[in-house]
């Protein structure tokens, strides 16, 4: 049963990490095409907050599953 929980935890971490990276990529591509009026600095601050939140979720998963 312990191996099952570790596997679920690792898969959850990978899902959050790769989902976050894809979301950042998609957001930047969309912003380049449609949101030219928003300053790049503000967009990068928002991306940084997204990365921080993803790191927080990963730390919660690590504490609960592993």
């Amino acid at each position: 049963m312990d191996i099952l929980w570790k596997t679920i935890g690792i898969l959850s971490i990978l899902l959050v990490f790769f989902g976050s990276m894809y979301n950042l990529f998609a957001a930047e591509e969309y912003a380049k095409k449609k949101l030219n009026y928003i300053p790049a600095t503000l967009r990068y601050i928002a991306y940084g907050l997204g990365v921080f939140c993803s790191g927080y979720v990963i730390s919660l998963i690590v504490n609960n599953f592993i």
Side-chain angles (χ1 to χ4, degrees):
M1 193 65 157
D2 189 41
I3 302 253
L4 177 67
W5 284 115
K6 285 189 179 189
T7 303
I8 290 172
I10 290 171
L11 290 175
S12 299
I13 290 169
L14 291 174
L15 180 67
V16 169
F17 176 76
F18 286 116
S20 175
M21 291 301 112
Y22 177 75
N23 190 23
L24 288 173
F25 170 75
E28 180 61 23
E29 291 298 314
Y30 183 80
K32 283 180 184 176
K33 293 177 185 174
K34 307 265 179 161
L35 303 175
N36 292 333
Y37 57 89
I38 296 176
T41 307
L42 187 61
R43 288 194 322 249
Y44 290 131
I45 289 171
Y47 300 155
L49 287 172
V51 169
F52 174 77
C53 290
S54 296
Y56 179 70
V57 169
I58 288 173
S59 73
L60 289 175
I61 293 170
V62 167
N63 290 337
N64 286 332
F65 282 106
I66 296 179

